[in-house]
Amino acid sequence: MKLVSLFDDFLMETVNLNKTRIDLLEASIPALKSFVRESDWKPKVRTFVEQGSWAHETIIRPVDGGEFDADLLVMVDPVDGWTAAEYVESLGRVFSGSKTYEDKTKTWDYCVTITYAGDRKIDLAPCVVGRLWEGSTEVCNRKGSFELTAPIEYTEWMKERNAYSGNNSFRKVTRLVKYLRDVKETFTCPSVLLTTLLGNEIEWFEKDNDEFADVPTTLKTLMGRLDNRLRMHPTRPSVTNPKLPSEDFSPLFGSDEQYANFRAVIARYRKWIDEAHAAEGRQESIAAWQKVFGEEFGKASVIKLAADAAADGLAKVRGLLSSTAAHLNKLVDVVKNYGISVLPLDFSRPPHIRLPTWRQAPNLATVPVTAEWRERRASTGRAIRAGDILRPQGGLHFKAFDTDGRPMPPDFEVQWRITNTGAVAMAKGAGRGGFYPENSSHGRWETLDFRGVHLAEAFVVRRSDDVLVGVSKPFYVVIE
């Protein structure tokens, strides 16, 4: 199932960089531009150009809540005799020598980074225009030389692909895959390489194609095509910059092992995405998409559904309860559909239940209890959780443990309060509700006889003074 509206919500609430932080970023840029223009930095500034995820509008919210990055190219005329390193290092000195930016500045190989504590980083990279020929653009490698680049053209290429896919879906899918990369941490792939790989799978003649009808369909289409392409390349393929044929992004895959992992992970996510897209039921589809993206996807919908179900289930339960605990048989079906959480708090205290008569310690410990389903006379079985739906055959073996999860010490005895409810048990006078000693292998064995919702509780008594020191929560046994 597509769940288009849930994808919109997921992008807005979890993936996209929120507007407040975009506004803070954009508010910082004019001051940086003015500072560079008004400084004594020698290169003549032509203009500034946004680059990377910010320019492409594929920037995402950091999954760890930390700082996000934005790239700003400083387009300058060449300075006679300058090396690539001088452009970067001199710009770094301009910022670090300023009282405003001195404690925010870090100089790297290609750029100068201004960090606004706990919020955002802006990378300013010198880009020399016209050094080789009119209109040529080169970024400066502080530890190397000038490197040809085509940032404006690449951004235009990215915008073209987005127009071909329609509905801004290529941008949104790129954000989703970047989020998947960052939140799952199962593969590495720099954003420019990831964007290029996905964009290469969209052709100009596919505009308004059904395979790009909406965001989840575009995601399915692009991840499927990317997986198909990677299957054709057991070793790292060349990934050319679509606007600069001399630039190959393939080294960004990393090692052969990293490429092999990327290839395998994309295949796995492609399979999960196909399954989620094909799922028919809404809840099944939400669960399948959560397998891909994590529990944040559809979270609000799941919470609302659970609340609605609980309210609906509780209303149904109330209509089936009897003041004599002879509850109608349909109660089992409701609990089966909604879980034991729909039972009201007073359900565990039916009128025929007996109260403990031991003196009590000031602070009763909460005693953990486990249960195993066993065939009659068997010494082992399978673990059962409270509320599991059981058939009326075999029985349960209950065991109580101390608060550290160890077997109960011999200085203490365990008494079990076994309480039946439901029309069948009450009609046969088998409501019970009293206390029973352990009868099997340091535990209590009980057969599964009557349709209904029943309770088992452990009461731990200190043998030396006959004082009650611990009680378990009710263990609900549901027999259909």
Side-chain angles (χ1 to χ4, degrees):
M1 186 176 289
K2 296 181 183 181
L3 304 178
V4 175
S5 64
L6 291 190
F7 268 91
D8 290 340
D9 294 341
F10 181 55
L11 282 159
M12 182 67 67
E13 297 168 6
T14 303
V15 177
N16 297 347
L17 188 65
N18 50 302
K19 186 177 184 302
T20 300
R21 301 186 84 180
I22 291 286
D23 290 345
L24 286 172
L25 168 63
E26 294 180 346
S28 304
I29 298 302
L32 290 173
K33 290 179 178 179
S34 296
F35 176 79
V36 174
R37 288 188 183 279
E38 295 168 7
S39 72
D40 58 0
W41 192 41
K42 189 172 183 179
K44 179 182 177 182
V45 177
R46 289 194 175 196
T47 188
F48 296 85
V49 173
E50 298 171 11
Q51 185 184 235
S53 300
W54 177 29
H56 306 156
E57 298 180 42
T58 60
I59 195 168
I60 66 171
R61 191 177 311 187
V63 297
D64 60 0
E67 300 158 336
F68 65 93
D69 300 332
D71 300 318
L72 186 66
L73 294 177
V74 188
M75 313 298 285
V76 300
D77 288 337
V79 177
D80 289 342
W82 270 31
T83 64
E86 287 179 278
Y87 288 90
V88 181
E89 291 172 351
S90 61
L91 183 60
R93 288 193 296 270
V94 167
F95 275 97
S96 60
S98 160
K99 290 183 178 179
T100 302
Y101 297 107
E102 61 181 348
D103 60 344
K104 298 182 177 68
T105 301
K106 177 77 174 179
T107 303
W108 304 92
D109 290 347
Y110 290 89
C111 66
V112 176
T113 298
I114 308 301
T115 301
Y116 297 84
D119 186 63
R120 61 201 182 280
K121 295 180 180 178
I122 300 174
D123 297 333
L124 293 98
C127 185
V128 182
V129 181
R131 192 185 71 91
L132 297 178
W133 62 80
E134 182 63 30
S136 67
T137 53
E138 300 168 285
V139 292
C140 306
N141 185 344
R142 185 183 177 196
K143 294 182 178 178
S145 58
F146 300 97
E147 299 175 8
L148 278 172
T149 187
I152 298 173
E153 294 82 359
Y154 184 91
T155 298
E156 288 303 314
W157 172 84
M158 197 277 174
K159 291 179 179 178
E160 283 178 352
R161 263 51 201 170
N162 192 59
Y164 297 156
S165 71
N167 301 312
N168 210 29
S169 63
F170 174 45
R171 280 197 178 104
K172 292 177 181 179
V173 165
T174 302
R175 290 181 211 144
L176 288 168
V177 180
K178 287 168 66 174
Y179 174 86
L180 184 61
R181 173 198 65 190
D182 293 353
V183 77
K184 290 294 186 72
E185 297 183 328
T186 52
F187 68 92
T188 58
C189 187
S191 294
V192 66
L193 175 58
L194 193 58
T195 301
T196 305
L197 288 169
L198 293 170
N200 281 342
E201 301 303 334
I202 306 174
E203 300 293 346
W204 63 268
F205 53 81
E206 294 187 294
K207 186 171 175 59
D208 299 325
N209 191 307
D210 287 345
E211 291 187 304
F212 302 99
D214 46 59
V215 170
T217 304
T218 301
L219 175 66
K220 176 181 182 295
T221 298
L222 293 185
M223 290 294 276
R225 292 181 180 182
L226 176 58
D227 177 43
N228 290 341
R229 188 172 299 275
L230 293 174
R231 289 174 187 267
M232 297 165 57
H233 298 280
T235 58
R236 287 181 295 174
S238 174
V239 183
T240 303
N241 183 331
K243 291 299 180 179
L244 187 63
S246 62
E247 185 174 19
D248 182 8
F249 292 141
S250 63
L252 298 177
F253 279 121
S255 66
D256 291 341
E257 290 77 14
Q258 286 174 305
Y259 173 71
N261 176 72
F262 176 72
R263 191 167 172 262
V265 170
I266 293 300
R268 181 165 71 244
Y269 289 147
R270 183 257 184 99
K271 178 177 181 292
W272 291 355
I273 288 167
D274 286 349
E275 290 171 349
H277 195 274
E280 295 184 358
R282 181 178 175 84
Q283 290 311 112
E284 291 80 3
S285 185
I286 290 175
W289 285 117
Q290 286 183 333
K291 183 177 180 181
V292 179
F293 293 110
E295 293 183 357
E296 291 300 315
F297 183 90
K299 184 176 180 179
S301 179
V302 171
I303 291 172
K304 182 179 185 303
L305 184 69
D308 291 347
D312 185 48
L314 181 59
K316 287 181 167 63
V317 164
R318 287 292 187 192
L320 299 170
L321 298 182
S322 164
S323 60
T324 63
H327 310 313
L328 298 182
N329 283 336
K330 288 184 178 180
L331 177 64
V332 171
D333 297 324
V334 175
V335 173
K336 186 175 181 179
N337 289 330
Y338 293 94
I340 58 174
S341 61
V342 302
L343 296 172
L345 293 176
D346 58 358
F347 184 88
S348 63
R349 295 293 177 266
H352 62 284
I353 203 167
R354 297 182 186 177
L355 299 178
T357 58
W358 303 279
R359 290 185 298 118
Q360 295 186 14
N363 297 301
L364 291 178
T366 300
V367 177
V369 166
T370 64
E372 280 188 351
W373 181 88
R374 298 181 183 179
E375 294 281 3
R376 188 177 295 274
R377 299 188 184 89
S379 59
T380 59
R382 59 183 172 87
I384 296 296
R385 297 174 300 178
D388 283 355
I389 308 301
L390 304 171
R391 293 185 177 182
Q393 60 189 46
L396 293 184
H397 184 261
F398 298 98
K399 290 187 73 172
F401 298 84
D402 68 15
T403 53
D404 293 323
R406 297 172 299 194
M408 197 61 64
D411 296 341
F412 299 86
E413 69 169 312
V414 180
Q415 290 282 326
W416 293 89
R417 183 164 63 184
I418 306 298
T419 308
N420 293 332
T421 72
V424 178
M426 299 307 290
K428 293 187 175 183
R432 301 173 70 183
F435 295 90
Y436 305 87
E438 296 191 325
N439 62 2
S440 173
S441 303
H442 304 289
R444 178 75 194 179
W445 161 262
E446 288 286 339
T447 57
L448 301 175
D449 295 322
F450 306 113
R451 179 181 175 88
V453 182
H454 316 298
L455 302 96
E457 300 163 276
F459 291 74
V460 179
V461 180
R462 190 165 54 216
R463 295 182 188 274
S464 61
D465 56 6
D466 209 32
V467 170
L468 181 67
V469 296
V471 179
S472 74
K473 294 179 180 179
F475 192 104
Y476 287 97
V477 178
V478 185
I479 303 177
E480 63 180 354

